[in-house]
Coordinates of all heavy atoms in Angstrom, one line a residue:
M25 N -38.3 -5.3 -21.3 CA -37.4 -6.2 -20.7 C -35.9 -6.0 -21.1 O -35.0 -6.1 -20.3 CB -37.9 -7.6 -21.0 CG -37.0 -8.7 -20.5 SD -37.2 -8.8 -18.7 CE -36.4 -10.3 -18.3
T26 N -35.8 -5.8 -22.5 CA -34.4 -5.6 -23.0 C -33.9 -4.2 -22.5 O -32.7 -4.2 -22.2 CB -34.4 -5.5 -24.5 OG1 -35.1 -6.8 -25.0 CG2 -33.1 -5.4 -25.1
S27 N -34.7 -3.3 -22.3 CA -34.2 -2.0 -21.9 C -33.7 -2.1 -20.4 O -32.8 -1.4 -20.0 CB -35.3 -0.9 -22.0 OG -36.4 -1.2 -21.2
K28 N -34.4 -3.0 -19.6 CA -34.0 -3.1 -18.2 C -32.6 -3.8 -18.1 O -31.8 -3.5 -17.3 CB -35.0 -4.0 -17.4 CG -36.2 -3.2 -17.2 CD -37.2 -4.1 -16.3 CE -38.5 -3.3 -16.1 NZ -39.5 -4.1 -15.3
I29 N -32.4 -4.8 -19.0 CA -31.0 -5.5 -19.1 C -30.0 -4.5 -19.5 O -29.0 -4.4 -18.9 CB -31.1 -6.7 -20.0 CG1 -32.0 -7.8 -19.4 CG2 -29.7 -7.3 -20.2 CD1 -32.3 -8.9 -20.3
Y30 N -30.3 -3.7 -20.5 CA -29.4 -2.7 -21.0 C -29.0 -1.7 -19.9 O -27.9 -1.4 -19.7 CB -30.0 -2.0 -22.2 CG -29.1 -0.8 -22.7 CD1 -28.0 -1.1 -23.5 CD2 -29.5 0.5 -22.5 CE1 -27.2 -0.1 -23.9 CE2 -28.7 1.5 -23.0 CZ -27.5 1.2 -23.7 OH -26.8 2.2 -24.2
L31 N -30.0 -1.2 -19.1 CA -29.8 -0.3 -18.1 C -29.0 -0.9 -17.0 O -28.1 -0.3 -16.4 CB -31.2 0.2 -17.5 CG -31.1 1.2 -16.4 CD1 -30.4 2.5 -16.8 CD2 -32.5 1.5 -15.9
A32 N -29.2 -2.2 -16.6 CA -28.5 -2.8 -15.6 C -27.0 -3.0 -16.0 O -26.1 -2.7 -15.2 CB -29.1 -4.2 -15.4
V33 N -26.7 -3.3 -17.2 CA -25.4 -3.5 -17.7 C -24.7 -2.1 -17.7 O -23.5 -2.0 -17.4 CB -25.3 -4.1 -19.1 CG1 -23.9 -4.0 -19.7 CG2 -25.8 -5.5 -19.0
L34 N -25.4 -1.1 -18.1 CA -24.9 0.3 -18.2 C -24.5 0.7 -16.7 O -23.4 1.3 -16.5 CB -25.9 1.2 -18.9 CG -25.4 2.7 -18.9 CD1 -24.2 2.9 -19.8 CD2 -26.6 3.5 -19.4
L35 N -25.4 0.5 -15.8 CA -25.1 0.9 -14.4 C -23.9 0.1 -13.8 O -23.0 0.7 -13.1 CB -26.3 0.7 -13.5 CG -27.4 1.7 -13.8 CD1 -28.7 1.4 -13.0 CD2 -27.0 3.1 -13.5
W36 N -23.8 -1.2 -14.2 CA -22.7 -2.0 -13.7 C -21.4 -1.4 -14.2 O -20.4 -1.4 -13.5 CB -22.9 -3.4 -14.2 CG -21.9 -4.4 -13.7 CD1 -21.7 -4.8 -12.4 CD2 -21.0 -5.1 -14.5 NE1 -20.6 -5.7 -12.3 CE2 -20.1 -5.8 -13.7 CE3 -20.7 -5.0 -15.8 CZ2 -19.1 -6.6 -14.2 CZ3 -19.6 -5.8 -16.3 CH2 -18.8 -6.5 -15.4
C37 N -21.3 -1.1 -15.6 CA -20.2 -0.6 -16.1 C -19.8 0.7 -15.5 O -18.6 1.0 -15.3 CB -20.3 -0.5 -17.7 SG -20.4 -2.0 -18.5
L38 N -20.8 1.6 -15.3 CA -20.5 2.9 -14.6 C -20.0 2.7 -13.3 O -19.0 3.4 -12.9 CB -21.8 3.7 -14.6 CG -21.7 5.1 -14.0 CD1 -20.8 6.0 -14.9 CD2 -23.1 5.7 -14.0
A39 N -20.5 1.8 -12.5 CA -20.0 1.6 -11.1 C -18.5 1.1 -11.2 O -17.7 1.5 -10.4 CB -20.9 0.5 -10.5
G40 N -18.2 0.2 -12.1 CA -16.8 -0.2 -12.4 C -15.9 0.9 -12.7 O -14.8 1.0 -12.2
A41 N -16.3 1.9 -13.5 CA -15.5 3.0 -13.9 C -15.2 3.9 -12.8 O -14.2 4.4 -12.5 CB -16.2 3.7 -15.0
V42 N -16.3 4.1 -12.0 CA -16.1 4.9 -10.7 C -15.1 4.3 -9.8 O -14.3 5.0 -9.2 CB -17.5 5.2 -10.1 CG1 -17.3 5.9 -8.7 CG2 -18.3 6.1 -11.0
A43 N -15.3 3.0 -9.5 CA -14.4 2.3 -8.6 C -13.0 2.4 -9.1 O -12.0 2.6 -8.3 CB -14.9 0.9 -8.5
A44 N -12.7 2.2 -10.4 CA -11.4 2.3 -11.0 C -10.9 3.7 -10.8 O -9.7 4.0 -10.5 CB -11.4 1.9 -12.4
A45 N -11.7 4.7 -11.0 CA -11.2 6.1 -10.9 C -10.8 6.4 -9.4 O -9.9 7.2 -9.2 CB -12.3 7.0 -11.3
W46 N -11.5 5.8 -8.5 CA -11.2 6.0 -7.0 C -10.0 5.1 -6.6 O -9.5 5.2 -5.6 CB -12.4 5.7 -6.2 CG -13.4 6.8 -6.2 CD1 -13.3 8.1 -6.6 CD2 -14.7 6.6 -5.8 NE1 -14.4 8.7 -6.5 CE2 -15.3 7.9 -6.0 CE3 -15.5 5.6 -5.3 CZ2 -16.7 8.1 -5.6 CZ3 -16.8 5.9 -4.8 CH2 -17.4 7.1 -5.0
G47 N -9.5 4.3 -7.5 CA -8.4 3.4 -7.2 C -8.7 2.1 -6.6 O -7.8 1.3 -6.3
E48 N -10.0 1.8 -6.3 CA -10.3 0.5 -5.7 C -10.1 -0.6 -6.6 O -9.8 -1.7 -6.2 CB -11.7 0.6 -5.2 CG -12.0 1.6 -4.1 CD -13.4 1.6 -3.7 OE1 -14.2 0.8 -4.1 OE2 -13.7 2.6 -3.0
G49 N -10.3 -0.4 -8.0 CA -10.1 -1.4 -8.9 C -8.7 -1.6 -9.5 O -8.4 -2.5 -10.2
A50 N -7.8 -0.5 -9.2 CA -6.5 -0.5 -9.7 C -5.6 -1.5 -9.1 O -5.7 -1.6 -7.8 CB -5.9 0.9 -9.6
P51 N -4.8 -2.3 -9.8 CA -4.0 -3.2 -9.2 C -2.9 -2.5 -8.3 O -2.3 -1.5 -8.8 CB -3.3 -4.0 -10.3 CG -3.4 -3.1 -11.5 CD -4.7 -2.3 -11.2
Q52 N -2.6 -3.0 -7.2 CA -1.5 -2.5 -6.3 C -0.3 -3.3 -6.5 O -0.3 -4.5 -6.6 CB -2.0 -2.5 -4.9 CG -3.3 -1.7 -4.6 CD -3.1 -0.3 -4.8 OE1 -2.1 0.3 -4.4 NE2 -4.0 0.4 -5.4
P53 N 0.9 -2.6 -6.4 CA 2.1 -3.4 -6.5 C 2.3 -4.3 -5.2 O 1.9 -3.9 -4.2 CB 3.3 -2.3 -6.5 CG 2.6 -1.0 -6.0 CD 1.1 -1.2 -6.3
E54 N 2.8 -5.5 -5.4 CA 3.0 -6.4 -4.4 C 4.4 -6.3 -3.7 O 5.1 -7.3 -3.6 CB 2.8 -7.8 -4.9 CG 1.4 -8.1 -5.4 CD 0.3 -8.1 -4.3 OE1 0.7 -8.5 -3.2 OE2 -0.8 -7.7 -4.6
T55 N 4.7 -5.1 -3.3 CA 6.1 -4.9 -2.7 C 6.0 -5.1 -1.2 O 7.1 -5.4 -0.6 CB 6.5 -3.5 -3.0 OG1 5.6 -2.5 -2.4 CG2 6.7 -3.2 -4.4
G56 N 4.9 -5.0 -0.5 CA 4.9 -5.1 0.9 C 5.3 -3.8 1.6 O 5.5 -3.9 2.8
C57 N 5.6 -2.8 0.9 CA 6.1 -1.6 1.6 C 5.0 -0.6 1.9 O 5.2 0.3 2.6 CB 7.1 -0.9 0.6 SG 8.6 -1.8 0.4
G58 N 3.8 -0.8 1.4 CA 2.7 0.2 1.7 C 2.9 1.5 1.0 O 3.7 1.7 0.0
G59 N 2.1 2.5 1.4 CA 2.1 3.7 0.7 C 2.9 4.8 1.4 O 2.8 6.0 1.0
L60 N 3.7 4.5 2.4 CA 4.5 5.5 3.1 C 5.9 5.6 2.6 O 6.7 6.4 3.1 CB 4.5 5.1 4.6 CG 3.1 5.3 5.3 CD1 3.2 4.8 6.7 CD2 2.6 6.7 5.2
M61 N 6.2 4.7 1.5 CA 7.6 4.8 1.0 C 7.6 4.9 -0.5 O 6.6 4.5 -1.1 CB 8.3 3.4 1.4 CG 8.5 3.1 2.8 SD 9.0 1.5 3.2 CE 10.7 1.6 2.5
T62 N 8.6 5.6 -1.0 CA 8.7 5.7 -2.5 C 9.2 4.3 -3.0 O 9.6 3.5 -2.2 CB 9.7 6.8 -2.9 OG1 11.0 6.4 -2.5 CG2 9.3 8.1 -2.4
E63 N 9.1 4.2 -4.3 CA 9.6 2.9 -4.9 C 11.1 2.7 -4.6 O 11.5 1.6 -4.3 CB 9.4 2.9 -6.4 CG 7.8 2.7 -6.7 CD 7.6 2.7 -8.2 OE1 8.5 2.2 -9.0 OE2 6.5 3.0 -8.6
L64 N 11.8 3.7 -4.7 CA 13.3 3.7 -4.4 C 13.6 3.3 -3.0 O 14.4 2.4 -2.7 CB 14.0 5.0 -4.7 CG 15.5 5.0 -4.5 CD1 16.2 4.0 -5.3 CD2 16.0 6.4 -4.7
E65 N 12.9 4.0 -2.1 CA 13.0 3.6 -0.7 C 12.6 2.2 -0.3 O 13.3 1.4 0.4 CB 12.1 4.6 0.2 CG 12.7 5.9 0.4 CD 11.7 6.8 1.0 OE1 10.5 6.7 0.9 OE2 12.2 7.8 1.7
C66 N 11.6 1.7 -1.0 CA 11.2 0.3 -0.8 C 12.2 -0.7 -1.3 O 12.6 -1.6 -0.6 CB 9.8 0.2 -1.6 SG 9.2 -1.5 -1.4
R67 N 12.8 -0.4 -2.5 CA 13.8 -1.2 -3.1 C 15.1 -1.3 -2.1 O 15.6 -2.3 -1.9 CB 14.2 -0.8 -4.4 CG 15.1 -1.8 -5.2 CD 15.3 -1.4 -6.7 NE 15.4 0.0 -7.0 CZ 14.5 0.7 -7.6 NH1 13.4 0.3 -8.0 NH2 14.8 2.0 -7.8
V68 N 15.5 -0.1 -1.7 CA 16.6 -0.1 -0.8 C 16.3 -0.8 0.6 O 17.2 -1.5 1.1 CB 17.0 1.5 -0.5 CG1 18.0 1.6 0.6 CG2 17.5 2.1 -1.8
H69 N 15.1 -0.6 1.1 CA 14.7 -1.3 2.3 C 14.8 -2.8 2.1 O 15.3 -3.6 2.9 CB 13.4 -0.9 2.7 CG 12.7 -1.6 3.8 ND1 13.2 -1.6 5.1 CD2 11.7 -2.5 3.8 CE1 12.5 -2.4 5.9 NE2 11.6 -3.0 5.1
Q70 N 14.2 -3.3 1.0 CA 14.2 -4.7 0.8 C 15.6 -5.3 0.6 O 16.1 -6.4 1.0 CB 13.4 -5.1 -0.5 CG 11.9 -4.9 -0.2 CD 11.1 -5.1 -1.4 OE1 11.5 -5.0 -2.6 NE2 9.8 -5.3 -1.2
E71 N 16.5 -4.5 -0.1 CA 17.9 -4.9 -0.3 C 18.6 -5.0 1.1 O 19.5 -5.8 1.3 CB 18.7 -4.0 -1.3 CG 18.1 -4.1 -2.7 CD 18.7 -3.0 -3.6 OE1 19.4 -2.1 -3.1 OE2 18.4 -3.1 -4.8
T72 N 18.4 -3.9 1.9 CA 19.0 -3.9 3.2 C 18.6 -5.1 4.1 O 19.4 -5.7 4.7 CB 18.7 -2.6 3.9 OG1 19.0 -1.5 3.1 CG2 19.3 -2.5 5.3
L73 N 17.3 -5.4 4.0 CA 16.8 -6.6 4.8 C 17.4 -7.9 4.2 O 17.8 -8.8 5.1 CB 15.3 -6.7 4.7 CG 14.5 -5.7 5.5 CD1 13.1 -5.9 5.4 CD2 14.9 -5.8 7.0
A74 N 17.6 -8.0 2.9 CA 18.2 -9.2 2.4 C 19.7 -9.3 2.8 O 20.3 -10.4 3.0 CB 18.2 -9.2 0.9
R75 N 20.3 -8.1 3.0 CA 21.8 -8.1 3.3 C 22.1 -8.4 4.7 O 23.1 -9.1 5.1 CB 22.4 -6.8 2.8 CG 23.8 -6.5 3.1 CD 24.3 -5.1 2.6 NE 23.4 -4.0 2.9 CZ 23.5 -3.3 4.1 NH1 24.3 -3.7 4.9 NH2 22.7 -2.3 4.3
L76 N 21.2 -7.9 5.6 CA 21.5 -7.9 7.1 C 21.2 -9.3 7.6 O 20.2 -9.8 7.3 CB 20.6 -6.9 7.8 CG 21.0 -5.4 7.7 CD1 20.0 -4.6 8.4 CD2 22.4 -5.2 8.3
P77 N 22.1 -9.9 8.3 CA 21.9 -11.2 8.9 C 21.0 -11.1 10.2 O 21.0 -9.9 10.7 CB 23.3 -11.7 9.3 CG 24.1 -10.4 9.5 CD 23.5 -9.4 8.5
A78 N 20.4 -12.1 10.5 CA 19.6 -12.0 11.8 C 20.4 -11.7 12.9 O 21.6 -12.2 13.0 CB 18.9 -13.4 12.0
G79 N 20.0 -10.8 13.8 CA 20.7 -10.4 15.0 C 20.4 -9.0 15.4 O 19.5 -8.4 15.0
Q80 N 21.3 -8.5 16.2 CA 21.0 -7.1 16.8 C 21.1 -6.0 15.7 O 20.2 -5.1 15.8 CB 22.1 -6.8 17.9 CG 21.9 -7.6 19.2 CD 23.0 -7.3 20.2 OE1 24.0 -6.7 19.8 NE2 22.7 -7.7 21.4
E81 N 21.9 -6.1 14.8 CA 22.1 -5.1 13.7 C 20.8 -5.0 13.0 O 20.2 -3.9 12.6 CB 23.2 -5.3 12.9 CG 23.5 -4.2 11.8 CD 24.7 -4.4 11.0 OE1 25.4 -5.4 11.2 OE2 24.9 -3.7 10.0
R82 N 20.2 -6.1 12.6 CA 19.0 -6.2 11.8 C 17.8 -5.7 12.7 O 17.0 -4.9 12.2 CB 18.7 -7.7 11.4 CG 17.4 -7.8 10.6 CD 17.2 -9.3 10.1 NE 16.0 -9.4 9.4 CZ 16.0 -9.6 8.1 NH1 17.2 -9.7 7.4 NH2 14.9 -9.8 7.5
E83 N 17.7 -6.1 13.9 CA 16.7 -5.6 14.8 C 16.7 -4.1 15.0 O 15.7 -3.4 15.0 CB 16.8 -6.3 16.2 CG 16.4 -7.8 16.2 CD 15.1 -8.1 15.6 OE1 14.2 -7.4 16.0 OE2 14.9 -9.0 14.8
R84 N 17.9 -3.6 15.1 CA 18.2 -2.1 15.3 C 17.7 -1.4 14.0 O 16.9 -0.4 14.1 CB 19.6 -1.8 15.6 CG 19.9 -0.3 15.9 CD 21.3 0.0 16.3 NE 22.3 -0.8 15.5 CZ 23.2 -1.7 16.0 NH1 22.9 -2.1 17.3 NH2 24.1 -2.2 15.2
Y85 N 18.0 -2.0 12.8 CA 17.6 -1.3 11.6 C 16.1 -1.3 11.5 O 15.4 -0.4 11.2 CB 18.2 -2.1 10.4 CG 17.5 -1.7 9.1 CD1 17.9 -0.5 8.5 CD2 16.5 -2.5 8.5 CE1 17.3 -0.1 7.3 CE2 15.9 -2.1 7.3 CZ 16.3 -0.9 6.7 OH 15.7 -0.4 5.5
L86 N 15.4 -2.5 11.8 CA 13.9 -2.6 11.8 C 13.2 -1.6 12.7 O 12.2 -1.1 12.4 CB 13.5 -4.0 12.0 CG 13.8 -5.0 10.9 CD1 13.5 -6.4 11.3 CD2 13.0 -4.7 9.7
K87 N 13.8 -1.5 14.0 CA 13.3 -0.5 14.8 C 13.3 0.9 14.3 O 12.4 1.7 14.4 CB 13.9 -0.6 16.2 CG 13.5 -1.8 17.1 CD 14.2 -1.7 18.4 CE 13.9 -3.1 19.2 NZ 14.5 -3.1 20.4
Q88 N 14.5 1.3 13.7 CA 14.6 2.6 13.1 C 13.6 2.8 12.0 O 13.0 3.8 11.8 CB 16.1 2.8 12.6 CG 17.0 3.0 13.7 CD 18.4 3.0 13.2 OE1 18.8 2.7 12.1 NE2 19.4 3.5 14.1
H89 N 13.5 1.8 11.2 CA 12.6 1.8 10.0 C 11.1 1.9 10.6 O 10.4 2.8 9.9 CB 12.7 0.5 9.2 CG 11.8 0.5 8.0 ND1 12.0 1.3 6.9 CD2 10.7 -0.3 7.8 CE1 11.1 1.0 6.1 NE2 10.3 0.1 6.4
Q90 N 10.8 1.2 11.5 CA 9.4 1.4 12.0 C 9.1 2.8 12.6 O 8.1 3.3 12.5 CB 9.1 0.3 13.1 CG 9.0 -1.1 12.5 CD 7.8 -1.2 11.4 OE1 6.8 -0.6 11.6 NE2 8.1 -2.0 10.4
A91 N 10.1 3.3 13.3 CA 10.0 4.6 13.8 C 9.8 5.7 12.7 O 9.0 6.6 12.8 CB 11.2 5.0 14.7
L92 N 10.6 5.5 11.6 CA 10.4 6.4 10.5 C 9.0 6.3 9.9 O 8.4 7.4 9.6 CB 11.5 6.0 9.4 CG 11.4 6.8 8.0 CD1 11.7 8.2 8.2 CD2 12.3 6.1 7.0
L93 N 8.6 5.1 9.7 CA 7.2 4.9 9.1 C 6.2 5.5 10.0 O 5.2 6.1 9.6 CB 6.9 3.5 8.8 CG 7.7 2.9 7.6 CD1 7.3 1.4 7.4 CD2 7.7 3.7 6.4
A94 N 6.3 5.3 11.3 CA 5.3 5.8 12.3 C 5.4 7.4 12.2 O 4.3 8.0 12.3 CB 5.7 5.4 13.7
E95 N 6.5 8.0 12.1 CA 6.6 9.4 12.0 C 5.9 9.9 10.7 O 5.2 10.9 10.7 CB 8.0 9.8 12.1 CG 8.3 11.4 12.1 CD 7.6 12.0 13.4 OE1 7.6 11.3 14.4 OE2 7.1 13.1 13.3
R96 N 6.2 9.3 9.6 CA 5.6 9.6 8.4 C 4.0 9.5 8.4 O 3.2 10.3 7.9 CB 6.1 8.8 7.2 CG 7.4 9.2 6.8 CD 7.9 8.4 5.6 NE 9.2 8.7 5.3 CZ 9.9 8.2 4.2 NH1 9.3 7.3 3.5 NH2 11.1 8.5 4.0
E97 N 3.6 8.5 9.1 CA 2.2 8.2 9.2 C 1.5 9.4 10.1 O 0.4 9.8 9.7 CB 1.9 6.9 9.9 CG 0.5 6.4 9.9 CD 0.3 5.0 10.4 OE1 1.1 4.5 11.2 OE2 -0.6 4.3 10.0
K98 N 2.1 9.8 11.1 CA 1.6 10.9 11.9 C 1.6 12.2 11.2 O 0.7 12.9 11.2 CB 2.5 11.1 13.2 CG 2.3 10.0 14.2 CD 3.2 10.3 15.4 CE 3.3 9.2 16.4 NZ 4.2 9.4 17.4
S99 N 2.7 12.5 10.4 CA 2.8 13.7 9.7 C 1.9 13.9 8.6 O 1.4 15.0 8.2 CB 4.3 14.0 9.3 OG 4.7 13.1 8.3
C100 N 1.5 12.8 7.9 CA 0.6 12.9 6.8 C -0.8 12.6 7.1 O -1.7 12.7 6.3 CB 1.1 12.1 5.6 SG 0.8 10.3 5.8
R101 N -1.0 12.2 8.4 CA -2.3 11.8 8.8 C -3.0 10.8 7.9 O -4.2 10.9 7.6 CB -3.3 13.0 9.0 CG -2.8 14.1 10.0 CD -3.6 15.2 10.1 NE -3.0 16.2 11.0 CZ -3.5 17.3 11.3 NH1 -4.6 17.7 10.7 NH2 -2.9 18.1 12.1
C102 N -2.2 9.8 7.6 CA -2.7 8.8 6.6 C -2.8 7.4 7.3 O -2.3 6.4 6.7 CB -1.9 8.8 5.4 SG -0.1 8.7 5.7
Q103 N -3.4 7.4 8.4 CA -3.5 6.1 9.2 C -4.3 5.1 8.4 O -4.1 3.9 8.7 CB -4.1 6.3 10.6 CG -3.3 7.1 11.6 CD -3.4 8.6 11.5 OE1 -4.1 9.1 10.6 NE2 -2.7 9.3 12.3
N104 N -5.1 5.5 7.5 CA -6.0 4.5 6.9 C -5.2 3.9 5.6 O -5.8 3.0 5.0 CB -7.2 5.1 6.4 CG -7.1 6.3 5.4 OD1 -6.0 6.7 5.2 ND2 -8.2 6.9 5.0
I105 N -4.0 4.2 5.3 CA -3.2 3.7 4.2 C -3.0 2.2 4.5 O -3.2 1.4 3.6 CB -1.9 4.4 4.0 CG1 -2.2 5.7 3.3 CG2 -1.0 3.5 3.1 CD1 -0.9 6.5 3.0
R106 N -2.6 1.9 5.7 CA -2.4 0.4 6.0 C -3.6 -0.4 5.9 O -3.6 -1.5 5.4 CB -1.8 0.3 7.4 CG -0.3 0.8 7.5 CD 0.3 0.5 8.8 NE 1.6 1.0 8.9 CZ 2.2 1.2 10.0 NH1 1.8 0.8 11.1 NH2 3.5 1.7 9.9
A107 N -4.7 0.3 6.4 CA -6.0 -0.5 6.2 C -6.4 -0.8 4.8 O -6.8 -1.7 4.4 CB -7.1 0.3 6.9
A108 N -6.2 0.3 4.0 CA -6.5 0.2 2.6 C -5.6 -0.8 1.9 O -6.0 -1.6 1.1 CB -6.4 1.5 1.9
N109 N -4.3 -0.8 2.2 CA -3.4 -1.8 1.6 C -3.8 -3.2 2.1 O -3.6 -4.1 1.3 CB -2.0 -1.5 2.0 CG -1.4 -0.3 1.1 OD1 -2.0 0.1 0.1 ND2 -0.4 0.3 1.7
S110 N -4.2 -3.4 3.3 CA -4.5 -4.7 3.8 C -5.8 -5.2 3.0 O -5.9 -6.4 2.8 CB -4.7 -4.8 5.3 OG -5.8 -4.0 5.6
K111 N -6.6 -4.3 2.7 CA -7.9 -4.7 2.0 C -7.5 -5.2 0.5 O -8.1 -6.2 0.1 CB -8.9 -3.6 1.9 CG -9.6 -3.3 3.2 CD -10.5 -2.1 3.0 CE -11.1 -1.7 4.4 NZ -12.0 -0.6 4.2
T112 N -6.6 -4.5 -0.1 CA -6.2 -4.9 -1.4 C -5.4 -6.1 -1.5 O -5.3 -6.7 -2.5 CB -5.5 -3.7 -2.2 OG1 -4.3 -3.3 -1.5 CG2 -6.4 -2.5 -2.4
A113 N -4.6 -6.4 -0.4 CA -3.8 -7.6 -0.4 C -4.6 -8.8 -0.2 O -4.1 -10.0 -0.6 CB -2.8 -7.4 0.8
K114 N -5.9 -8.8 0.3 CA -6.6 -10.0 0.5 C -7.2 -10.6 -0.8 O -7.2 -10.2 -1.8 CB -7.8 -9.6 1.4 CG -7.3 -9.4 2.8 CD -8.4 -9.2 3.8 CE -7.9 -8.9 5.2 NZ -8.9 -8.5 6.1

């Protein structure tokens, strides 16, 4: 009986280590930028959004930004990054 409990705990710890190694258990930064931007690009993007008032200039910037991210997503074939980020955000 004791050996079964020991084995169960050992397997549970092993599964946790494997999940952490694959990045599923690692905490993700709460920047909202996803995996297609560097930390610097994310910071500049957030500062730009904070600086721009609502209106045409802000909308134009957001369209350009979305186009850039869409191009990066196509070029790296990493369409599942957004899905992975949305899973960790929940």
Side-chain angles (χ1 to χ4, degrees):
M25 181 69 167
T26 305
S27 62
K28 288 182 181 180
I29 293 173
Y30 175 73
L31 181 60
V33 170
L34 180 65
L35 289 175
W36 181 70
C37 290
L38 182 61
V42 170
W46 284 345
E48 293 177 10
Q52 299 293 321
E54 295 294 328
T55 61
C57 291
L60 296 173
M61 299 173 66
T62 65
E63 289 182 25
L64 177 61
E65 289 173 325
C66 181
R67 188 171 42 247
V68 168
H69 171 67
Q70 290 174 339
E71 290 171 359
T72 303
L73 285 179
R75 178 177 48 84
L76 288 174
Q80 289 181 339
E81 186 178 357
R82 183 183 179 98
E83 293 300 319
R84 186 172 44 250
Y85 170 78
L86 287 173
K87 285 181 182 178
Q88 290 173 346
H89 178 71
Q90 289 300 322
L92 173 68
L93 291 183
E95 186 63 33
R96 286 184 182 181
E97 192 172 28
K98 287 178 190 175
S99 67
C100 73
R101 297 181 184 176
C102 49
Q103 288 87 0
N104 59 357
I105 285 180
R106 289 186 183 168
N109 285 340
S110 67
K111 288 179 184 177
T112 59
K114 290 181 181 178

